[in-house]
């Protein structure tokens, strides 16, 4: 039996009424959390969930969202690490439906509170090709996980930043759409997370709804007139949900717009006021708790932010430094490394310390404006790091859909070898493997790189990404397979 805080019970019962509340309480109490994944459309084109695990599609994300019958040990599926799918709570996949409903031309979009990256990868899959997605997380350690997950996802039109909303306001970069999945009191996590119940308090709810208003106010200037704000929380109370949405609409100037949903999706409408919002409630929909509303900022936009160029915030780069870098002859090597991309002509080189990144030319100006004011963790494709006369290819390149796989020799690993590689242990390459950098694959999908030095090979998998569990799986874990 779930031990719910008494203040929570009395407030939520009063808010929802007896019938809705008792269904919610029953859902929180009795049901196991549903398990769902989202396939990566850029990597898993011909794959789907294996037969024994497949239950049904997630109806509001039907192309790629899947419910599973049980929870496998995802850590031991090499294809998860190769970025072919993402383990994501089903309700969060609603962002796919929102974007496909309201966005039909390339945009510049910001996911403001994005770690660990479920909604960002969903957004990147749903926004039209030609868009660029900024994915931001203010907490440093969480931003590192976000960066890892977006690199695994492998789409090049992404910039990952580690900033506060006010930094974005200062930077003056404009967006056509912003997702603010704001930090909240976490009531929607009660079933999944005992910590969320233990940390809950009325005081915390009060702190949250005020912080949420600050976050949205801080970023509001960065949203184009006519732009979309998707506001979401994983909590049930109306202060953080309906009341905040009405506040944003009236104080900041926006219309709350209705998202068309099907009755069979079991989405609950507003519990206070008469605003078109969506609530996913455990016990009613097959998900954890999520609240989401879509707002359109008042005003007409002349052009998308993407096309308005970043001219208003010219980068303050010092030219001398750039000249010095090219003079040192790093130029030639970078050009060679560019050949590891499928379409090198679409990219331009940017350097950050020893790291060399390939940035799509289409948004290079946007990148430069961002780089002069924001803390960029990852952007485009990181090609590698200069070490003496060598360029060590980066994991980001191995994970990118832009990798030209024929640029390197490849070695296919067995299941056991793949797990060892992902633990960053030594993996012996077969005799006759050419020396130098080698892409290691599992079932044909790149997992990362090794440097073959003849008598042994150095595993280049990033230390912070490695599988830390020493558990040995009894059987191979395969969540998805060829259709």
């Amino acid at each position: 039996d779930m031990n719910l805080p008494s203040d929570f019970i009395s407030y939520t019962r009063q808010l929802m009424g007896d019938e809705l509340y008792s269904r919610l309480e029953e859902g929180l109490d009795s049901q196991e959390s549903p398990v769902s994944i989202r396939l990566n459309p850029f990597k898993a084109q011909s794959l789907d969930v294996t037969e024994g695990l497949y239950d049904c599609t997630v109806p509001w994300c039907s192309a790629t969202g899947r419910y599973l019958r049980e929870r496998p040990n995802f850590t031991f599926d090499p294809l998860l690490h190769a970025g072919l799918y993402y383990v994501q709570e089903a309700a969060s996949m609603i962002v796919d439906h929102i974007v496909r409903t309201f966005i039909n031309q390339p945009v510049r979009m910001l996911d403001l509170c994005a770690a660990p990256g479920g909604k960002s990868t969903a957004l990147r899959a749903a926004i039209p090709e030609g868009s660029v997605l900024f994915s931001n997380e203010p907490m440093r350690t969480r931003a590192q996980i976000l960066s890892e997950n977006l690199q695994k996802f492998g789409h090049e039109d992404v910039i990952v930043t580690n900033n506060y909303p006010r930094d974005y306001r200062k930077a003056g970069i404009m967006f056509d759409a912003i997702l603010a999945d704001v930090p909240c009191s976490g009531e929607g996590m009660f079933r999944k997370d005992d910590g969320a119940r233990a940390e809950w308090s009325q005081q915390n709810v009060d702190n949250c709804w005020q912080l949420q208003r600050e976050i949205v106010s801080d970023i509001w200037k960065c949203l184009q007139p006519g732009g979309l704000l998707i506001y979401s929380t994983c909590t049930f109370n109306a202060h953080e949900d309906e009341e905040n949405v009405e506040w944003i609409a009236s104080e900041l100037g926006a219309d709350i717009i209705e998202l068309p949903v099907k009755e069979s999706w079991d989405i609950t409408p507003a519990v206070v006021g008469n605003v078109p919002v969506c609530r996913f409630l455990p016990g009613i929909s097959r998900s954890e708790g999520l609240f989401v509303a879509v707002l359109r900022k008042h005003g007409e936009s002349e052009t998308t932010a993407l096309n308005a160029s970043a001219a208003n915030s010219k980068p303050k780069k010092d030219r001398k430094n750039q000249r010095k870098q090219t003079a040192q002859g790093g130029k030639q090597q970078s050009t060679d490394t560019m050949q590891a991309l499928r379409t090198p002509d679409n990219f331009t080189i940017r350097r950050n310390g020893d790291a060399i990144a390939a940035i799509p030319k289409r948004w290079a100006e946007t990148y430069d404006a961002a780089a002069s004011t924001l803390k960029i963790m990852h952007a485009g494709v990181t090609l590698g790091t200069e070490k003496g006369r060598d360029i060590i290819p980066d994991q980001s390149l191995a994970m990118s859909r832009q990798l030209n796989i024929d640029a390197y020799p490849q070695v296919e690993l067995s299941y056991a070898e793949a797990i060892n590689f992902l633990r960053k242990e030594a993996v012996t390459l077969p005799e006759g493997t050419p020396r130098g950098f080698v892409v290691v694959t599992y079932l044909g999908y790149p997992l990362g790189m090794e440097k073959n030095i003849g008598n042994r090979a150095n595993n280049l998998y990033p230390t912070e990404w490695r599988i830390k569990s020493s558990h040995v799986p009894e059987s191979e874990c395969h969540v998805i397979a060829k259709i």
Side-chain angles (χ1 to χ4, degrees), residues 68-139:
L68 307 188
R69 290 189 183 164
E70 57 187 18
R71 187 172 194 90
N73 196 337
F74 289 114
T75 304
F76 294 101
D77 182 356
L79 295 187
L80 172 72
H81 301 272
L84 273 77
Y85 65 93
Y86 190 95
V87 183
Q88 186 179 28
E89 207 285 298
S92 298
M93 298 182 196
I94 191 69
V95 298
D96 180 274
H97 176 61
I98 294 172
V99 165
R100 291 178 197 279
T101 303
F102 296 116
I103 298 177
N104 47 30
Q105 58 175 341
V107 289
R108 190 189 292 157
M109 184 163 193
L110 167 64
D111 184 355
L112 185 60
C113 319
K119 292 189 183 73
S120 273
T121 52
L123 292 173
R124 186 54 271 184
I127 52 181
E129 278 294 313
S131 301
V132 61
L133 176 68
F134 279 68
S135 191
N136 176 66
E137 169 57 48
M139 302 324 221

Side-chain angles (χ1 to χ4, degrees), residues 202-242:
Q202 196 53 61
Q203 182 55 55
N204 192 25
V205 171
D206 290 346
N207 296 346
C208 284
W209 69 260
Q210 287 165 344
L211 173 66
Q212 290 153 357
R213 290 181 183 191
E214 276 169 37
I215 289 172
V216 176
S217 304
D218 274 348
I219 205 65
W220 194 249
K221 271 205 173 86
C222 300
L223 184 60
Q224 288 270 83
L228 279 189
L229 174 76
I230 305 168
Y231 175 89
S232 65
T233 75
C234 56
T235 207
F236 302 130
N237 69 75
H239 308 308
E240 299 176 67
D241 293 349
E242 286 91 346

